[in-house]
Protein backbone atom coordinates (compact mmCIF):
# COMPACT_ATOMS: atom_id res chain seq x y z
CA UNK A 1 0.00 0.00 0.00
CA UNK A 2 2.96 2.30 -0.49
CA UNK A 3 4.25 1.98 3.07
CA UNK A 4 7.78 0.99 4.05
CA UNK A 5 7.74 -2.39 5.82
CA UNK A 6 10.33 -3.89 8.17
CA UNK A 7 9.77 -7.55 9.03
CA UNK A 8 10.94 -8.68 12.47
CA UNK A 9 10.83 -11.92 14.46
CA UNK A 10 10.78 -12.14 18.25
CA UNK A 11 12.15 -15.65 18.73
CA UNK A 12 11.17 -19.33 18.86
CA UNK A 13 10.91 -19.35 15.07
CA UNK A 14 12.96 -22.48 14.39
CA UNK A 15 10.95 -25.07 16.34
CA UNK A 16 7.46 -26.41 16.80
CA UNK A 17 6.50 -28.17 13.55
CA UNK A 18 7.80 -31.37 11.86
CA UNK A 19 9.43 -29.32 9.12
CA UNK A 20 11.46 -27.49 11.76
CA UNK A 21 12.29 -30.54 13.85
CA UNK A 22 13.30 -32.76 10.95
CA UNK A 23 15.73 -30.14 9.64
CA UNK A 24 16.93 -28.88 13.02
CA UNK A 25 15.54 -25.47 12.10
CA UNK A 26 17.24 -25.22 8.72
CA UNK A 27 14.08 -25.26 6.61
CA UNK A 28 12.58 -22.47 8.71
CA UNK A 29 15.59 -20.22 8.20
CA UNK A 30 15.35 -20.84 4.46
CA UNK A 31 11.68 -19.85 4.50
CA UNK A 32 12.46 -16.73 6.55
CA UNK A 33 15.10 -15.83 3.97
CA UNK A 34 12.53 -16.29 1.21
CA UNK A 35 10.05 -14.02 2.96
CA UNK A 36 12.72 -11.38 3.50
CA UNK A 37 13.06 -10.92 7.26
CA UNK A 38 15.05 -7.83 8.26
CA UNK A 39 15.96 -8.67 11.84
CA UNK A 40 15.34 -11.29 14.54
CA UNK A 41 16.00 -11.76 18.21
CA UNK A 42 16.49 -14.94 20.22
CA UNK A 43 13.85 -17.03 21.96
CA UNK A 44 14.60 -19.80 24.42
CA UNK A 45 13.74 -22.40 21.76
CA UNK A 46 16.39 -21.13 19.35
CA UNK A 47 18.74 -23.35 21.37
CA UNK A 48 16.67 -26.55 21.11
CA UNK A 49 19.15 -28.18 18.74
CA UNK A 50 22.33 -27.19 20.66
CA UNK A 51 24.42 -24.03 20.73
CA UNK A 52 26.48 -25.20 17.77
CA UNK A 53 23.39 -25.74 15.63
CA UNK A 54 21.98 -22.34 16.56
CA UNK A 55 25.19 -20.67 15.42
CA UNK A 56 24.94 -22.60 12.14
CA UNK A 57 21.39 -21.30 11.69
CA UNK A 58 22.62 -17.76 12.35
CA UNK A 59 25.16 -18.18 9.54
CA UNK A 60 22.41 -19.44 7.22
CA UNK A 61 20.19 -16.42 7.88
CA UNK A 62 20.18 -13.49 5.45
CA UNK A 63 19.16 -11.25 8.34
CA UNK A 64 20.94 -10.34 11.60
CA UNK A 65 20.11 -11.54 15.09
CA UNK A 66 20.32 -8.86 17.76
CA UNK A 67 20.53 -9.19 21.54
CA UNK A 68 21.69 -6.76 24.18
CA UNK A 69 21.96 -9.42 26.89
CA UNK A 70 23.02 -12.77 25.34
CA UNK A 71 26.70 -13.07 26.16
CA UNK A 72 29.63 -15.46 26.36
CA UNK A 73 31.95 -14.85 29.29
CA UNK A 74 30.58 -11.33 29.59
CA UNK A 75 31.01 -10.39 25.91
CA UNK A 76 27.91 -9.89 23.77
CA UNK A 77 27.53 -12.57 21.12
CA UNK A 78 25.54 -10.34 18.73
CA UNK A 79 25.12 -6.63 18.18
CA UNK A 80 22.70 -5.25 20.78
CA UNK A 81 20.68 -3.42 18.12
CA UNK A 82 20.49 -2.41 14.49
CA UNK A 83 19.27 0.87 13.02
CA UNK A 84 17.10 1.02 9.90
CA UNK A 85 16.77 4.37 8.14
CA UNK A 86 13.47 5.10 6.36
CA UNK A 87 13.15 8.40 4.52
CA UNK A 88 15.45 10.13 6.99
CA UNK A 89 13.95 8.57 10.12
CA UNK A 90 16.24 6.22 12.06
CA UNK A 91 14.55 3.29 13.80
CA UNK A 92 16.55 1.17 16.24
CA UNK A 93 15.65 -2.44 17.00
CA UNK A 94 17.04 -3.66 20.35
CA UNK A 95 16.99 -7.41 21.06
CA UNK A 96 16.21 -8.75 24.56
CA UNK A 97 15.88 -12.41 25.61
CA UNK A 98 14.57 -13.73 28.92
CA UNK A 99 17.33 -14.85 31.30
CA UNK A 100 15.07 -17.75 32.26
CA UNK A 101 16.29 -19.29 28.99
CA UNK A 102 19.04 -20.88 31.06
CA UNK A 103 16.44 -23.11 32.71
CA UNK A 104 13.71 -23.34 30.05
CA UNK A 105 16.18 -24.50 27.42
CA UNK A 106 18.78 -27.24 27.93
CA UNK A 107 21.26 -25.99 30.59
CA UNK A 108 24.23 -28.01 29.30
CA UNK A 109 24.12 -26.12 26.00
CA UNK A 110 25.26 -23.02 27.89
CA UNK A 111 28.09 -24.77 29.74
CA UNK A 112 31.67 -25.72 28.99
CA UNK A 113 32.94 -29.30 29.18
CA UNK A 114 33.44 -28.91 32.95
CA UNK A 115 29.82 -27.96 33.57
CA UNK A 116 30.46 -24.27 34.13
CA UNK A 117 28.08 -21.75 32.59
CA UNK A 118 29.94 -19.73 29.96
CA UNK A 119 26.87 -18.29 28.23
CA UNK A 120 24.37 -16.05 29.99
CA UNK A 121 21.64 -13.45 29.62
CA UNK A 122 22.61 -10.81 32.22
CA UNK A 123 20.70 -12.79 34.81
CA UNK A 124 20.45 -11.81 38.47
CA UNK A 125 17.88 -12.25 41.18
CA UNK A 126 16.77 -8.62 41.19
CA UNK A 127 16.84 -8.06 37.42
CA UNK A 128 19.17 -5.06 37.62
CA UNK A 129 21.83 -6.56 35.33
CA UNK A 130 19.24 -7.06 32.61
CA UNK A 131 17.76 -3.57 33.04
CA UNK A 132 21.26 -2.05 32.84
CA UNK A 133 22.04 -3.97 29.65
CA UNK A 134 18.79 -2.81 28.05
CA UNK A 135 19.32 0.80 29.12
CA UNK A 136 22.88 0.78 27.76
CA UNK A 137 21.71 -0.46 24.37
CA UNK A 138 18.85 2.05 24.21
CA UNK A 139 21.14 4.93 25.17
CA UNK A 140 23.76 3.91 22.61
CA UNK A 141 21.11 3.68 19.90
CA UNK A 142 19.85 7.16 20.80
CA UNK A 143 23.41 8.49 20.78
CA UNK A 144 23.81 7.02 17.30
CA UNK A 145 20.87 9.12 16.15
CA UNK A 146 17.89 6.80 16.55
CA UNK A 147 14.62 8.72 16.36
CA UNK A 148 12.64 5.70 17.53
CA UNK A 149 13.61 2.69 19.63
CA UNK A 150 11.69 -0.55 19.30
CA UNK A 151 12.47 -3.24 21.85
CA UNK A 152 12.25 -6.70 20.28
CA UNK A 153 11.77 -8.93 23.29
CA UNK A 154 11.25 -12.55 24.20
CA UNK A 155 10.09 -11.87 27.76
CA UNK A 156 6.34 -12.40 28.09
CA UNK A 157 3.79 -11.40 30.71
CA UNK A 158 3.77 -14.39 33.09
CA UNK A 159 4.03 -13.17 36.69
CA UNK A 160 6.16 -16.15 37.70
CA UNK A 161 8.83 -14.96 35.24
CA UNK A 162 9.55 -11.84 37.31
CA UNK A 163 11.84 -9.94 37.43
CA UNK A 164 12.18 -10.52 33.69
CA UNK A 165 8.70 -9.80 32.29
CA UNK A 166 8.17 -7.07 29.71
CA UNK A 167 6.55 -4.93 32.42
CA UNK A 168 9.61 -5.30 34.66
CA UNK A 169 11.89 -4.12 31.85
CA UNK A 170 9.73 -1.16 30.88
CA UNK A 171 9.23 -0.05 34.49
CA UNK A 172 12.99 0.02 35.04
CA UNK A 173 14.18 1.65 31.80
CA UNK A 174 13.55 4.73 29.69
CA UNK A 175 13.87 5.62 26.02
CA UNK A 176 11.91 2.73 24.51
CA UNK A 177 9.02 3.85 22.28
CA UNK A 178 7.46 0.46 21.58
CA UNK A 179 8.04 -3.03 22.95
CA UNK A 180 7.06 -5.95 20.73
CA UNK A 181 6.98 -9.14 22.75
CA UNK A 182 6.96 -12.92 22.51
CA UNK A 183 7.35 -15.93 24.81
CA UNK A 184 3.97 -15.92 26.61
CA UNK A 185 1.84 -16.46 23.48
CA UNK A 186 -0.65 -13.72 24.43
CA UNK A 187 -2.35 -11.18 22.17
CA UNK A 188 -2.36 -8.24 24.59
CA UNK A 189 -1.97 -4.68 23.36
CA UNK A 190 -0.86 -2.67 26.39
CA UNK A 191 0.12 0.88 27.26
CA UNK A 192 2.14 1.45 30.44
CA UNK A 193 4.52 3.97 32.01
CA UNK A 194 8.27 3.54 31.91
CA UNK A 195 10.83 4.62 34.52
CA UNK A 196 10.33 8.28 33.53
CA UNK A 197 6.52 7.94 33.69
CA UNK A 198 6.24 8.21 29.90
CA UNK A 199 3.70 6.00 28.13
CA UNK A 200 5.10 3.06 26.15
CA UNK A 201 3.19 0.69 23.89
CA UNK A 202 3.60 -3.06 24.25
CA UNK A 203 2.31 -5.46 21.59
CA UNK A 204 2.21 -9.26 21.34
CA UNK A 205 0.76 -11.38 18.55
CA UNK A 206 0.22 -14.87 19.98
CA UNK A 207 1.71 -18.00 18.49
CA UNK A 208 1.80 -20.00 15.24
CA UNK A 209 0.56 -17.07 13.13
CA UNK A 210 -2.78 -16.74 14.90
CA UNK A 211 -2.10 -13.06 14.29
CA UNK A 212 0.52 -10.81 12.76
CA UNK A 213 1.44 -7.90 14.98
CA UNK A 214 2.24 -4.49 13.60
CA UNK A 215 3.80 -1.26 14.78
CA UNK A 216 2.81 1.67 12.62
CA UNK A 217 4.80 4.93 12.62
CA UNK A 218 3.30 7.74 10.57
CA UNK A 219 5.20 10.52 8.83
CA UNK A 220 4.11 12.79 11.71
CA UNK A 221 5.65 10.44 14.26
CA UNK A 222 2.40 8.99 15.57
CA UNK A 223 2.85 5.42 16.82
CA UNK A 224 0.22 2.69 17.08
CA UNK A 225 0.17 -1.10 17.40
CA UNK A 226 -2.36 -3.75 16.46
CA UNK A 227 -3.01 -7.17 15.01
CA UNK A 228 -3.85 -8.56 11.59
CA UNK A 229 -5.91 -11.75 11.81
CA UNK A 230 -7.22 -14.27 9.29
CA UNK A 231 -10.24 -16.00 10.83
CA UNK A 232 -10.60 -18.68 8.18
CA UNK A 233 -9.29 -22.25 8.29
CA UNK A 234 -8.54 -22.13 4.57
CA UNK A 235 -5.36 -20.59 3.24
CA UNK A 236 -5.80 -16.87 2.53
CA UNK A 237 -3.73 -17.16 -0.64
CA UNK A 238 -6.08 -19.82 -2.01
CA UNK A 239 -9.28 -18.09 -0.92
CA UNK A 240 -8.26 -14.72 -2.36
CA UNK A 241 -6.61 -16.14 -5.48
CA UNK A 242 -3.24 -14.58 -4.74
CA UNK A 243 0.20 -15.50 -5.97
CA UNK A 244 2.57 -16.43 -3.16
CA UNK A 245 6.22 -17.35 -3.36
CA UNK A 246 5.94 -18.48 0.26
CA UNK A 247 3.21 -21.03 -0.54
CA UNK A 248 5.43 -22.45 -3.24
CA UNK A 249 8.48 -22.49 -0.98
CA UNK A 250 6.57 -24.19 1.85
CA UNK A 251 5.17 -26.85 -0.44
CA UNK A 252 8.59 -27.54 -1.94
CA UNK A 253 10.16 -27.84 1.52
CA UNK A 254 7.44 -30.22 2.75
CA UNK A 255 7.65 -32.48 -0.30
CA UNK A 256 11.07 -33.67 0.85
CA UNK A 257 9.58 -35.02 4.07
CA UNK A 258 6.11 -36.19 3.03
CA UNK A 259 7.24 -39.80 2.68
CA UNK A 260 8.85 -39.82 6.11
CA UNK A 261 5.82 -38.20 7.72
CA UNK A 262 3.49 -40.72 6.07
CA UNK A 263 5.49 -43.71 7.28
CA UNK A 264 3.63 -45.97 9.72
CA UNK A 265 5.78 -46.39 12.81
CA UNK A 266 3.27 -48.16 15.08
CA UNK A 267 -0.23 -49.59 15.16
CA UNK A 268 -2.78 -50.07 17.92
CA UNK A 269 -5.53 -52.68 17.95
CA UNK A 270 -7.64 -50.51 20.26
CA UNK A 271 -8.75 -46.90 20.25
CA UNK A 272 -6.45 -44.58 22.15
CA UNK A 273 -8.00 -41.73 24.14
CA UNK A 274 -6.23 -38.41 24.74
Amino acid sequence: QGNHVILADNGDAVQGEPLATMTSGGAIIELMNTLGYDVATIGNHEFDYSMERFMELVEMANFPYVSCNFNKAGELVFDPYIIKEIEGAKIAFVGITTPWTLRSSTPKYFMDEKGNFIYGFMQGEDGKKLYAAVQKAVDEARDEGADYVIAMTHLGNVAEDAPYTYADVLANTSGIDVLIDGHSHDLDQVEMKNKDCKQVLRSACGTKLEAIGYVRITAKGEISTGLYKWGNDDNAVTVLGLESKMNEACQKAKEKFNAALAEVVAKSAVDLLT
Side-chain angles (χ1 to χ4, degrees), residues 170-201:
L170 286 182
N172 288 278
T173 60
S174 60
I176 294 172
D177 294 299
V178 184
L179 185 148
I180 53 177
D181 199 15
H183 194 46
S184 52
H185 299 184
D186 65 280
L187 295 164
D188 297 346
Q189 309 299 299
V190 178
E191 189 171 348
M192 67 168 283
K193 292 182 178 179
N194 67 7
K195 186 178 180 180
D196 292 341
C197 293
K198 294 184 178 179
Q199 294 295 119
V200 182
L201 298 175

Side-chain angles (χ1 to χ4, degrees), residues 36-266:
Y37 272 83
D38 293 284
V39 59
T41 196
I42 314 163
N44 51 301
H45 286 295
E46 255 65 42
F47 303 101
D48 281 3
Y49 313 110
S50 79
M51 184 66 68
E52 291 74 17
R53 180 54 178 167
F54 172 54
M55 292 305 175
E56 291 174 355
L57 297 176
V58 170
E59 289 298 314
M60 290 173 56
N62 293 339
F63 50 88
Y65 279 85
V66 292
S67 177
C68 73
N69 66 311
F70 176 48
N71 67 92
K72 182 179 183 181
E75 297 292 326
L76 291 182
V77 177
F78 302 118
D79 289 336
Y81 62 88
I82 64 166
I83 292 179
K84 294 283 188 176
E85 186 168 351
I86 304 293
E87 293 189 357
K90 293 184 177 181
I91 307 171
F93 293 84
V94 177
I96 310 167
T97 301
T98 176
W100 292 127
T101 296
L102 290 175
R103 71 178 187 187
S104 59
S105 189
T106 304
K108 71 176 182 180
Y109 292 161
F110 304 96
M111 299 175 179
D112 61 17
E113 62 278 2
K114 296 181 180 180
N116 300 310
F117 279 97
I118 56 174
Y119 290 95
F121 295 87
M122 306 300 185
Q123 61 276 6
E125 292 183 0
D126 57 8
K128 290 183 179 179
K129 289 182 180 179
L130 176 64
Y131 311 150
V134 172
Q135 192 64 66
K136 183 176 185 292
V138 171
D139 291 344
E140 289 178 352
R142 292 289 187 184
D143 290 342
E144 197 174 325
D147 300 295
Y148 305 97
V149 174
I150 297 178
M152 292 176 52
T153 72
H154 199 82
L155 296 171
N157 64 358
V158 179
E160 288 78 4
D161 286 345
Y164 307 130
T165 68
Y166 82 85
D168 293 319
V169 169
L170 286 182
N172 288 278
T173 60
S174 60
I176 294 172
D177 294 299
V178 184
L179 185 148
I180 53 177
D181 199 15
H183 194 46
S184 52
H185 299 184
D186 65 280
L187 295 164
D188 297 346
Q189 309 299 299
V190 178
E191 189 171 348
M192 67 168 283
K193 292 182 178 179
N194 67 7
K195 186 178 180 180
D196 292 341
C197 293
K198 294 184 178 179
Q199 294 295 119
V200 182
L201 298 175
R202 180 267 189 181
S203 176
C205 57
T207 184
K208 294 189 177 182
L209 285 180
E210 63 182 303
I212 296 173
Y214 67 80
V215 176
R216 185 172 294 132
I217 304 175
T218 70
K220 295 181 179 180
E222 299 165 336
I223 304 175
S224 61
T225 67
L227 302 173
Y228 294 118
K229 290 186 177 182
W230 176 254
N232 192 321
D233 290 337
D234 294 320
N235 190 314
V237 174
T238 302
V239 172
L240 300 176
L242 305 175
E243 292 184 6
S244 170
K245 63 181 181 182
M246 281 302 292
N247 260 25
E248 296 173 4
C250 285
Q251 187 59 38
K252 185 176 181 180
K254 289 178 180 179
E255 285 175 356
K256 299 179 182 179
F257 305 100
N258 282 343
L261 291 173
E263 182 182 349
V264 176
V265 295

